[in-house]
Each structure stands twice: as structure tokens, then as C-alpha cells.
Amino acid sequence: MHQFFVEDHQIGKEYITITGADVNHIRNVLRMKQGERIRVSNQEGRDYFCEIAEVGEDFVQADIVSEDESGTELPSRIYLFQALPKGDRMETVIEKAVELGVYEIIPVAMKYCVVKLDEKKAAVRVKRWQAIAESAAKQSKRSIIPVVHPVMTYREALEYANACDIRLVPYENELGMKGTKAAFAKVKSGCSISVMIGPEGGFSEEEINAARETMDVISLGKRILRTDTAGICTMSMLMMTLEEGE
């Protein structure tokens, strides 16, 4: 069953009106017809099972059959702060993190990032990353589309991350899993969680020292993980912890 997202004003008492790029996708790519079932969500996390009633030139009317009460969102909001990786690895991080239940993704410019983006290039990248987040949200039947923020400085990212209840920093030089287990024992339903992932070149001494002041520095094991692997690994661990606790 295909997934689509709409704004609140598009949801009526008996039907939902889909507009924008999704109309072309439904009509010309998926070639969906009257009577076919779809799932529609709004950004508040409400989900509906619908049946297509009419496919117009610039709109699709979908009659509401029932509201989906099962929900697909994690019981906590996870904020992933990802240092800018080289190549297209950010795209992989976003796609997989969305599938695993991330709430927001914040790209971060750190001292040892290989990639350096000026304001214009950053804006173009963020627009593409947001489109990838939307596609992944549809594929994984998310109830919301996670937001991809504009690129932040490390100082801005730390300030934003510190507003969360639980603050985690996987660090390659942190030894032993005792601290990791203690940090994850604090993860409970309803808490907000920030995860700060360093770049290919690692955290600078100043960056990791600043993180230690307010965040739990943890290990992800004895092996050195790539920056994109570290974020996905931590998201997987959090997803399991949160869903086991439900």
C-alpha cells in the first residue's frame, strides 16, 4: 500500500484531497485507479486508510475508510547530529535513519570534516536531503516526514542537542561498553534523545571535551566505524531499546 503525506487543511471529514507532485506520481507513475487503497498521514502523526475516489489533473480525492491506530513512530524523539561526510554518504545516513525512526537530522560542520560547504551549496544539499527523507518516510510507512535542518556549526549543534533529555556521543577512543549500557539504561519512552556523530577525521580535542561537559560519551564496540555506520548503528540500538520497552 502506497504512502502519502498531506497538510491538515487537506483533510476533510469524509475525504482527503491530495495535491502537488504526488498527483503526477499517482496518476502517471503508479497509474492508480479509482477504488485502489492508499495510506495518508499528516505531520501530526495521524494516519488514514483511504480509497481513491477521483484522479483529476491537479488533485486526487481519496475517501477516508478508517483511521490507522497502530502507528509506526517510536515513543521517543531522536535527534541525529551527523558530521558532514564525504561523497554521498549523507544520503545513506538520512535514508537509513528515517527508516529506523529518527525525528530530526541535523548536519554539522566540524573541524575535521573533509567536506566544506558554502551557504549556497549547503542550501542545495539540504533541499536534496529533505527529498530523500520524504522518500524514505513513504517507503517505511512513517507517520511523519523527519526534518533535515540547515547545516549547523558545532557550537550551534551542541546548544540544540543539550535541550534533549538524553545526550549521547559515540567516540572511537572510548573503551568498554559499561558506559554505553549505563547510558542506554536511561532511555525511556517519551524522552528526547540527541546523538552526536563525529566526522571521518574524528572529533577534535576541543570538540570532544566540550561534549563531555553535558553529554554521555559512549563506545560502539572495539572496531572503528565509519561516520555513516556509527549513526546507523546508534539509531538501530535506540530503536531496539525503545521498541523492546513498549
Side-chain angles (χ1 to χ4, degrees):
M1 186 180 298
H2 295 285
Q3 167 83 33
F4 299 96
F5 291 93
V6 296
E7 303 291 338
D8 277 346
H9 67 84
Q10 295 171 256
I11 303 175
K13 290 184 178 180
E14 298 181 352
Y15 63 87
I16 294 172
T17 303
I18 299 172
T19 58
D22 283 336
V23 175
N24 178 67
H25 191 66
I26 290 170
R27 192 161 67 102
N28 299 319
V29 179
L30 299 176
R31 298 186 180 277
M32 300 189 79
K33 305 296 183 185
Q34 182 179 356
E36 292 191 63
R37 292 284 185 101
I38 58 175
R39 186 174 182 268
V40 182
S41 302
N42 67 358
Q43 275 299 97
E44 279 66 51
R46 298 190 69 176
D47 309 304
Y48 302 87
F49 291 120
C50 301
E51 189 174 279
I52 292 178
E54 183 179 355
V55 179
E57 288 289 329
D58 56 3
F59 76 95
V60 172
Q61 180 180 314
D63 293 339
I64 297 172
V65 176
S66 63
E67 189 164 350
D68 182 5
E69 303 287 353
S70 60
T72 59
E73 294 305 304
L74 292 176
S76 292
R77 292 181 173 182
I78 303 174
Y79 299 76
L80 178 62
F81 294 78
Q82 173 66 56
L84 293 170
K86 61 185 177 182
D88 58 0
R89 289 179 180 172
M90 190 68 174
E91 298 181 8
T92 301
V93 171
I94 291 169
E95 180 182 76
K96 301 312 176 188
V98 170
E99 290 176 17
L100 292 167
V102 77
Y103 183 71
E104 291 183 7
I105 299 170
I106 303 91
V108 186
M110 297 189 191
K111 184 175 182 178
Y112 294 140
C113 284
V114 176
V115 174
K116 308 293 182 184
L117 299 176
D118 60 31
E119 188 173 337
K120 185 176 181 180
K121 287 182 179 178
V124 172
R125 292 279 185 93
V126 170
K127 184 177 180 180
R128 172 164 173 75
W129 293 337
Q130 187 63 64
I132 290 169
E134 180 175 350
S135 178
K138 289 178 178 178
Q139 182 275 323
S140 56
K141 300 296 184 289
R142 292 288 301 272
S143 296
I144 64 165
I145 302 171
V147 172
V148 180
H149 283 255
V151 178
M152 290 188 184
T153 65
Y154 187 66
R155 181 177 294 181
E156 291 170 336
L158 268 185
E159 184 177 348
Y160 193 49
N162 285 338
C164 290
D165 302 315
I166 296 172
R167 302 171 291 277
L168 306 176
V169 186
Y171 182 47
E172 68 271 16
N173 292 330
E174 192 72 8
L175 302 177
M177 298 298 286
K178 185 177 180 180
T180 304
K181 291 177 181 178
F184 273 77
K186 296 186 289 185
V187 174
K188 306 295 181 185
S189 177
C191 64
S192 55
I193 306 164
S194 62
V195 179
M196 185 73 70
I197 303 295
E200 281 101 345
F203 287 99
S204 70
E205 186 175 350
E206 295 80 8
E207 288 169 343
I208 196 62
N209 287 340
R212 286 187 188 279
E213 293 179 8
T214 57
M215 308 180 85
D216 290 322
V217 179
I218 63 172
S219 170
L220 297 179
K222 297 177 181 179
R223 293 147 302 282
I224 302 297
L225 305 182
R226 291 182 184 273
T227 181
D228 44 320
T229 308
I232 295 167
C233 176
T234 310
M235 280 297 309
S236 299
M237 294 165 68
L238 287 169
M239 182 192 70
M240 183 184 72
T241 302
L242 288 164
E243 295 201 342
E244 272 190 341
E246 285 192 290

